[in-house]
Amino acid sequence: MPLTARGEAIFERLPNAAPRTSTGSIGCQIVRHEELCIGCGRCASACPTGATSKGDMFDPMQLYSAPPESRRGALGAALRTIARHQPSGSIAVPDRVAAFRTIVFDAARCIGCGACARACPTGAAEALPVPAAEIASAGMNG
Amino acid sequence: MRCGVFLCECGGNISGVLDLDSLADSARTQDGVVSISRNQFMCGTEGRRMIEQAVEERGLDRIVIGACSRRFQGPTFERITRELRLGENAVAFGNLREGCSFIHRDEPAKAQLKAEKIVAAAVARARFQSDLPRGRTFLHRSVLVVGGGIAGITAAEELSGAGIDVHLIEREQSLGGYMARLSKTFPTEDCAMCSLAPQLTGAALDPRIRIHTLTDVTEISGPPGEFRVKLRQRPRFVSEACVGCDDCTSACPVSVSSEFELGVANRKAISRPFANAVPSLYAIDKRGSSPCKSACPAGTSAQGYVALVAEGRFDEAYRVASELNPFASVCGRICTHPCESACARGEVDQPLAIAALKRFVADRVGPETVLEKVPVIHSEKVAIIGAGPAGLTCARDLAKLGYQTTVFEALPVAGGMLKVGIPDYRLPKDVLRREIDQVTALGVELELGQRAGKDFTIDELLENGYRAVFLAVGLQKSSEVEVPGAELEGTERAVEFLRRLNLGKPISVGDRVVVIGGGDVALDAARSTIRLQRISGREPNVTLVYRRTREEMPALGEDVEHAIEEGLKIEFLVASLEIVGEKGRVSALKLQRCKLGETDSSGRRRPVPIEGDVTEIEADSVVLAIGQDIVCDFLEGCEDVSVEKGQIQIDRDTLMTGKSAVFAGGDAAATGGWTAIEAIAAGTRAARSIHNYLRGEKLLEVWPAKVAEARPSAEELARREVGQRVPAPLLDRSERRGSWDEVVGGYSEAEAIAEASRCLACAVCSECEACVRACPAGAIELDQQEEIEELAVGAIIVATGHKEFDARRKIPLGFGRFSNVVTQSQLARLLAPSGPTAGELERPSDGTVPKKIFMLQCVGSRDCTSSGNEHCSAICCLFATLHASLIKQHYPDADVTIGYTDLRAPGKAHEEYYRLVQERGVRYVRSRTGEVMGEPDGSLRVRFEDTVTRRKNEELFDLVVLSAGLEASAGTTEIAHVAGLQQGSAGFIKEYHPKLKPVDTQRAGIFVAGTAQGPKNIPDTIAQAKAAAARVVSMLSAGFVLTPAQVASSDLAQCIGCGICESICPQSAVTLSGGDSPHAIIDANSCRGCGICVAECPSGAMTLGGFSDEEILAEVMV
Amino acid sequence: MTSAAAENTRATETEDGAERKIVAFFCRECAYAAADAAGNARVSLPTTIRSVLVPCTGRVSPLHLLKALADGADGVYVAGCLEGQCHYREGNLHALDRIEFARALLESVGVEPERVQMFTMSAADSPKFVAAARKMHETISSLPQLERR
């Protein structure tokens, strides 16, 4: 996937911006907490590089781990009541179902800009600072 | 919650199966239930009183009705609770009849248990039901009616009668629509225009109806009641001053097929479709700039003078051709004519010979035309350096603006390169002289033999009273390219060679001459040498060597051809390595053979040497014609004007050099190519810029604004008959070689008219301005611009009508191929007393009255193939019957046959009419037609199968009329997109409900009438228009509308602004607010309450009035 | 007992003899209208079905479907307009996808996906409505009662 205009702009500002490692050439490490995710997709729209995207699959375990007062939590509680066993892996999501999707995070594409974390309304995407030394070795120059 | 439960017996329908006492006992145990009542008919007045009483006495805030389906009596009870000020969402329903007693009569015990659950569920649901806020939308008392046909006019009139303001929008130049084109109408055979004209006049005079013609609706937004509408009005180019005298149409030289006459007659570029048009103003059909005009650097309207030539109006043509170009007859000969390269006719066969036509009018009219001298009105004098095309054009234009100018020319003659660069056989000297004389006749002073930098300096000019200087010095020397041996005797440089020749200086040429180069200068040097050799009694021997191939040669193709005819030898793909000498004299030219390589920056393929392939040509003279260069001596004693890469540096927008008051243009400061026409254009631009500079104000555009180019579509071009350019006469080739006479001759009058008639009139209006001169009222305004207007209206009626099915799609029927195959609508024009034949039926091919006529029904209708439509077009049977009857009455001998599928004549008096016409002798044959074939005499052979007798027939007819069906018009499709309306089959607008809401659309506040909704006849159209108007009146009379209760709403605190709702709402009722923390905004007027967004909302912020998750789940859980 | 009702009962006798419960979401424009038409025609229908009115099947979310099962229903179905004839253009298409999603969820936790179904019909087509109701009733009656934790 080519970079978006915004992504290009970010790379422009970086000297010798070549590697796009998960630790992020800009300075954040992205940590995702899928149990908090509600599938709104704001992170995916905000991501300039396509590292975060709305996938075509959904892991029903996310319903079990979601906060009980959330919509996913309520659905999880109903599912748990009638379940005969633990969910057996991810399921394919039909086109028109918007929010029950597991976010796909491609660490190799992440530049650590933190846009997803700023966009996330629930704290499911979190941006942690990376020590300066690590940034340098991660590729400011190479 | 204080809930009352009201159980209905429904006259035994419910109580006959269910035990209501036991049901009441069960309901009483429900939490929150404080009162139980039952009645025989809860929906009756007694039931209502019961509810009122219970609410008052028991202080109820929720009502549960156990009765029939909510779909039946829901609104009754909602109204009761609304009137009791509990809100309409204070009532919950248990469906005890359709949902229980009716369907479980055989299992009463189970039914009883289910009924208890049903009531319990309703009570549980009621607990969560809360009042629903409703907004008010105030209604604008104005309506947009789109489409000015009979439907739109009728609706507008009706609305105006109700005191409502109407904006009536029509995309054409006049109201009237399809009905204006009809001759008579069925079944009464009364004249269509006689019924329509009073309506048109009424609309025009109605103070409440504002008519917007030539107008498109480009945007509709906002809620019903306060729609915001954007209109785009295309320019009419004729003002309200038009008195309708029709003088302009006889002046206009451009004829095109008339849309109003449906192609059976032509109209002019300025026209009025019919005498009763409203508004009565004429309009000019100007579609932009013709390709020829766009391509001309000087912006000459070639289409304009070509159109005038075609009409034999040569004086006017010359005026157009010379208005922007003082060198019309010169350009008619030597112009590189980019106009011809752009000519759309070139896609059909060959481009028009535009230059030859220009030469024709200039030669014929030019010499006698003496321009009127303009008095000098400005005191500032302007000096122009160089009397070439740029300098002289600038001088003329400044003179016309009222300036005194002096042109300083270094040579003893004026004309620049036109004079000393181009030999006589291409441009006779007297042709040029006449045009220069016309410039000087305007009062332009010409100082010959005055060389800038030597005889005077530019700074001196500015000091001595000249307030501006235009440098148009040209490129006066050959490029000094490094060819070894260039110093040898016998080497010539082409520019200098031609100058000496044209100044009449003594000149000698060798016996074997080689010219190096591929441009006009090289060719002129070579052809001149041929002539000089011949005149001095030798056999011409000239070879031209060029690095690339003929395709890449910059010289014009026809000139190359002429040169070869004259005996010029050309060697392609050879680069000059060295001029070989013997005793200081040229003896040969050493050449490197090349092949074509990659494309270079000029867009041509670069020559690449073939290693080791070197050859020699013997020669005693070599002429170098590889480019020209500037001679900078004119800058002596002048500061601040800089020359780089052989070009004077200027500001492109103003043509001013680095020195204030000094401008430059032409070959010495080119902004386009180095051609005569570019130089002329530069002269004009310089004059405008100097005028702006001297007046201190931007009065004239230096560079004309870009106008969209008008070019016929590929489809239109494909329909044109392939022809051929009229060739210009040529001097015999043997005569040519020893003579300086002009090689290419001019057109005769007949040839010029024939050639000019090939013009396709791409832009329709050619901007020749003949109408401007003809109009006695001064109403023509060619500079009118498109206007955008915004309106607020309460409601919209779409009455955009239909179009006739394009019968060309039915290829075997021959429409478009045989001129005597017409459509029923075209026949209407041929039968109309106001039509092109004044009501006489004349067949298109030869104007004779057809004796045998075949009318073919269901063309493109009731057709399940991919080239037709499935629907019945409803009017065609009677339309054909009407026309057959009219023909029969007018020409009793005529034999009219109608080939029909099924004869459909429902509607008042239609069947009777059909019988009457049958009695008049019209033959009806139930048949299927296979093919229509053309005969050499224009008659048509029709092959059809009689579907009653099953017999196959073949008959000859003089005229075939196709009853082409109805489809949605382009305007209907456009408004459907703009307004977001659904279209059904064949593009007709889908009504909200085919029976109950036939004039409502899917979008509240937008109504539909007439054939935009589906095929129908005039009375039905008018009835529907009045119905639509009535719907608008009933909507607007309320003054305001409540927004619906059952709409989506979003909790601002919970909304996370993900935009899922915005992307999935099928009504586009949700938008996301801007800013850093966006949130969903629901347009309550557009929301129709489906709840799709609620189900998809990931945060739970979205809910639906009356159908929240709590309400739904309460019912599920019990 | 009429023969039609007998038909209902015989075809749907459960193995354990206990009657099943089915929750049905009907859209107001088509399915509920077809249900009313069937009722007015006094067609005999299984008593297991409990209808819930929704404006459009597009309003029904996966939560409604699963919550119905969790709260006591053995089966749940949605009935809406024919494809392409949704009164809100696309609601039934959304419903179809959500039902597919809910079925996939059930399958992933070992519950029979046929407990959740979708039917489409026009407002005039009460026979299709009746057939759908009986079909659903038969299907659910052939399955064991749904166990809950």
Side-chain angles (χ1 to χ4, degrees), chain A residues 38-40 42 54 71 96-99 121, chain B residues 1056 1058 1060 1094-1100 1109:
Chain A
I38 60 172
C40 69
R42 285 192 60 174
K54 255 184 153 180
R71 280 172 69 85
R96 287 171 196 269
V97 173
Chain B
I1056 55 167
C1058 67
I1060 290 176
V1094 186
E1096 291 293 342
C1097 177
S1099 72
D1109 274 348

mmCIF file of all heavy atoms in Angstrom, chain A residues 38-40 42 54 71 96-99 121, chain B residues 1056 1058 1060 1094-1100 1109:
data_model
loop_
_atom_site.group_PDB
_atom_site.id
_atom_site.type_symbol
_atom_site.label_atom_id
_atom_site.label_comp_id
_atom_site.label_asym_id
_atom_site.label_seq_id
_atom_site.Cartn_x
_atom_site.Cartn_y
_atom_site.Cartn_z
ATOM 1 N N ILE A 38 -13.406 -0.907 20.289
ATOM 2 C CA ILE A 38 -14.826 -1.038 19.966
ATOM 3 C C ILE A 38 -15.048 -1.132 18.455
ATOM 4 O O ILE A 38 -16.175 -1.163 17.983
ATOM 5 C CB ILE A 38 -15.659 0.125 20.559
ATOM 6 C CG1 ILE A 38 -15.170 1.472 20.006
ATOM 7 C CG2 ILE A 38 -15.617 0.100 22.076
ATOM 8 C CD1 ILE A 38 -16.066 2.635 20.397
ATOM 9 N N GLY A 39 -13.960 -1.139 17.711
ATOM 10 C CA GLY A 39 -14.076 -1.354 16.261
ATOM 11 C C GLY A 39 -14.553 -0.148 15.490
ATOM 12 O O GLY A 39 -15.075 -0.278 14.393
ATOM 13 N N CYS A 40 -14.361 1.057 16.046
ATOM 14 C CA CYS A 40 -14.897 2.232 15.355
ATOM 15 C C CYS A 40 -14.080 2.581 14.119
ATOM 16 O O CYS A 40 -14.571 3.212 13.191
ATOM 17 C CB CYS A 40 -14.961 3.436 16.291
ATOM 18 S SG CYS A 40 -13.340 4.082 16.754
ATOM 19 N N ARG A 42 -11.457 4.572 13.884
ATOM 20 C CA ARG A 42 -10.836 5.907 13.801
ATOM 21 C C ARG A 42 -9.336 5.799 13.643
ATOM 22 O O ARG A 42 -8.725 6.603 12.957
ATOM 23 C CB ARG A 42 -11.183 6.730 15.044
ATOM 24 C CG ARG A 42 -12.602 7.240 15.014
ATOM 25 C CD ARG A 42 -12.837 8.280 16.088
ATOM 26 N NE ARG A 42 -11.956 9.432 15.903
ATOM 27 C CZ ARG A 42 -12.008 10.528 16.618
ATOM 28 N NH1 ARG A 42 -12.921 10.647 17.563
ATOM 29 N NH2 ARG A 42 -11.173 11.514 16.414
ATOM 30 N N LYS A 54 -8.713 -1.642 9.221
ATOM 31 C CA LYS A 54 -9.864 -2.434 9.641
ATOM 32 C C LYS A 54 -9.832 -3.735 8.861
ATOM 33 O O LYS A 54 -9.834 -3.713 7.633
ATOM 34 C CB LYS A 54 -11.151 -1.666 9.300
ATOM 35 C CG LYS A 54 -11.819 -1.049 10.505
ATOM 36 C CD LYS A 54 -13.115 -0.390 10.100
ATOM 37 C CE LYS A 54 -14.071 -0.366 11.281
ATOM 38 N NZ LYS A 54 -15.342 0.264 10.966
ATOM 39 N N ARG A 71 -20.848 -2.087 24.479
ATOM 40 C CA ARG A 71 -21.726 -2.838 23.571
ATOM 41 C C ARG A 71 -21.143 -4.199 23.247
ATOM 42 O O ARG A 71 -21.848 -5.189 23.176
ATOM 43 C CB ARG A 71 -21.964 -2.023 22.297
ATOM 44 C CG ARG A 71 -23.012 -0.967 22.516
ATOM 45 C CD ARG A 71 -23.133 -0.031 21.348
ATOM 46 N NE ARG A 71 -23.693 -0.645 20.142
ATOM 47 C CZ ARG A 71 -24.994 -0.774 19.896
ATOM 48 N NH1 ARG A 71 -25.881 -0.380 20.789
ATOM 49 N NH2 ARG A 71 -25.408 -1.296 18.781
ATOM 50 N N ARG A 96 -21.259 -5.567 5.303
ATOM 51 C CA ARG A 96 -22.006 -4.463 5.892
ATOM 52 C C ARG A 96 -21.938 -4.409 7.405
ATOM 53 O O ARG A 96 -22.586 -3.564 8.020
ATOM 54 C CB ARG A 96 -23.467 -4.538 5.447
ATOM 55 C CG ARG A 96 -23.654 -4.137 4.003
ATOM 56 C CD ARG A 96 -25.054 -4.432 3.545
ATOM 57 N NE ARG A 96 -25.147 -4.418 2.098
ATOM 58 C CZ ARG A 96 -25.443 -3.333 1.391
ATOM 59 N NH1 ARG A 96 -25.717 -2.210 1.991
ATOM 60 N NH2 ARG A 96 -25.486 -3.379 0.084
ATOM 61 N N VAL A 97 -21.236 -5.340 8.015
ATOM 62 C CA VAL A 97 -21.055 -5.257 9.468
ATOM 63 C C VAL A 97 -19.820 -4.400 9.702
ATOM 64 O O VAL A 97 -18.720 -4.756 9.298
ATOM 65 C CB VAL A 97 -20.906 -6.657 10.084
ATOM 66 C CG1 VAL A 97 -20.541 -6.552 11.554
ATOM 67 C CG2 VAL A 97 -22.210 -7.434 9.892
ATOM 68 N N ALA A 98 -20.022 -3.228 10.324
ATOM 69 C CA ALA A 98 -18.954 -2.231 10.349
ATOM 70 C C ALA A 98 -18.034 -2.359 11.555
ATOM 71 O O ALA A 98 -16.824 -2.252 11.434
ATOM 72 C CB ALA A 98 -19.558 -0.831 10.291
ATOM 73 N N ALA A 99 -18.608 -2.551 12.728
ATOM 74 C CA ALA A 99 -17.816 -2.354 13.942
ATOM 75 C C ALA A 99 -17.246 -3.643 14.529
ATOM 76 O O ALA A 99 -16.321 -3.583 15.338
ATOM 77 C CB ALA A 99 -18.656 -1.636 15.000
ATOM 78 N N PRO A 121 -10.755 6.579 20.793
ATOM 79 C CA PRO A 121 -11.591 7.128 21.863
ATOM 80 C C PRO A 121 -11.571 6.297 23.140
ATOM 81 O O PRO A 121 -12.049 6.740 24.173
ATOM 82 C CB PRO A 121 -12.993 7.129 21.233
ATOM 83 C CG PRO A 121 -12.969 6.007 20.257
ATOM 84 C CD PRO A 121 -11.562 5.908 19.754
ATOM 85 N N ILE B 1056 -18.269 9.158 19.446
ATOM 86 C CA ILE B 1056 -16.817 9.253 19.290
ATOM 87 C C ILE B 1056 -16.436 9.745 17.907
ATOM 88 O O ILE B 1056 -15.270 9.843 17.572
ATOM 89 C CB ILE B 1056 -16.170 7.877 19.538
ATOM 90 C CG1 ILE B 1056 -16.815 6.838 18.626
ATOM 91 C CG2 ILE B 1056 -16.300 7.489 21.011
ATOM 92 C CD1 ILE B 1056 -16.067 5.546 18.563
ATOM 93 N N CYS B 1058 -16.749 8.419 14.852
ATOM 94 C CA CYS B 1058 -16.056 7.498 13.950
ATOM 95 C C CYS B 1058 -16.575 7.612 12.523
ATOM 96 O O CYS B 1058 -15.893 7.249 11.581
ATOM 97 C CB CYS B 1058 -16.188 6.058 14.440
ATOM 98 S SG CYS B 1058 -17.864 5.403 14.379
ATOM 99 N N ILE B 1060 -19.093 6.000 11.094
ATOM 100 C CA ILE B 1060 -19.732 4.818 10.490
ATOM 101 C C ILE B 1060 -21.164 5.169 10.077
ATOM 102 O O ILE B 1060 -21.609 4.847 8.977
ATOM 103 C CB ILE B 1060 -19.709 3.624 11.478
ATOM 104 C CG1 ILE B 1060 -18.279 3.111 11.641
ATOM 105 C CG2 ILE B 1060 -20.627 2.500 10.992
ATOM 106 C CD1 ILE B 1060 -18.112 2.000 12.652
ATOM 107 N N VAL B 1094 -28.197 2.949 14.079
ATOM 108 C CA VAL B 1094 -28.241 2.613 15.509
ATOM 109 C C VAL B 1094 -27.623 1.239 15.725
ATOM 110 O O VAL B 1094 -26.839 1.027 16.655
ATOM 111 C CB VAL B 1094 -29.695 2.637 16.022
ATOM 112 C CG1 VAL B 1094 -29.723 2.429 17.510
ATOM 113 C CG2 VAL B 1094 -30.384 3.926 15.627
ATOM 114 N N ALA B 1095 -27.982 0.318 14.844
ATOM 115 C CA ALA B 1095 -27.479 -1.040 15.002
ATOM 116 C C ALA B 1095 -25.973 -1.124 14.775
ATOM 117 O O ALA B 1095 -25.305 -1.983 15.322
ATOM 118 C CB ALA B 1095 -28.205 -1.985 14.047
ATOM 119 N N GLU B 1096 -25.429 -0.214 13.959
ATOM 120 C CA GLU B 1096 -24.000 -0.279 13.652
ATOM 121 C C GLU B 1096 -23.138 0.558 14.591
ATOM 122 O O GLU B 1096 -21.927 0.422 14.595
ATOM 123 C CB GLU B 1096 -23.744 0.185 12.213
ATOM 124 C CG GLU B 1096 -24.269 -0.742 11.131
ATOM 125 C CD GLU B 1096 -23.550 -2.080 11.062
ATOM 126 O OE1 GLU B 1096 -22.435 -2.189 11.594
ATOM 127 O OE2 GLU B 1096 -24.138 -3.027 10.500
ATOM 128 N N CYS B 1097 -23.743 1.449 15.360
ATOM 129 C CA CYS B 1097 -22.958 2.392 16.179
ATOM 130 C C CYS B 1097 -22.104 1.638 17.196
ATOM 131 O O CYS B 1097 -22.621 0.900 18.020
ATOM 132 C CB CYS B 1097 -23.890 3.368 16.901
ATOM 133 S SG CYS B 1097 -22.986 4.501 17.979
ATOM 134 N N PRO B 1098 -20.768 1.782 17.137
ATOM 135 C CA PRO B 1098 -19.932 1.006 18.053
ATOM 136 C C PRO B 1098 -19.923 1.541 19.486
ATOM 137 O O PRO B 1098 -19.596 0.808 20.406
ATOM 138 C CB PRO B 1098 -18.536 1.105 17.429
ATOM 139 C CG PRO B 1098 -18.563 2.350 16.618
ATOM 140 C CD PRO B 1098 -19.987 2.573 16.187
ATOM 141 N N SER B 1099 -20.281 2.808 19.665
ATOM 142 C CA SER B 1099 -20.174 3.372 21.012
ATOM 143 C C SER B 1099 -21.497 3.324 21.751
ATOM 144 O O SER B 1099 -21.543 3.513 22.957
ATOM 145 C CB SER B 1099 -19.699 4.829 20.925
ATOM 146 O OG SER B 1099 -20.750 5.625 20.408
ATOM 147 N N GLY B 1100 -22.588 3.102 21.045
ATOM 148 C CA GLY B 1100 -23.895 3.113 21.700
ATOM 149 C C GLY B 1100 -24.458 4.513 21.840
ATOM 150 O O GLY B 1100 -25.438 4.730 22.549
ATOM 151 N N ASP B 1109 -32.643 0.422 22.133
ATOM 152 C CA ASP B 1109 -32.287 -0.957 22.496
ATOM 153 C C ASP B 1109 -33.104 -1.420 23.698
ATOM 154 O O ASP B 1109 -33.562 -2.560 23.753
ATOM 155 C CB ASP B 1109 -30.791 -1.043 22.832
ATOM 156 C CG ASP B 1109 -29.958 -1.263 21.578
ATOM 157 O OD1 ASP B 1109 -30.549 -1.575 20.521
ATOM 158 O OD2 ASP B 1109 -28.726 -1.114 21.660
#
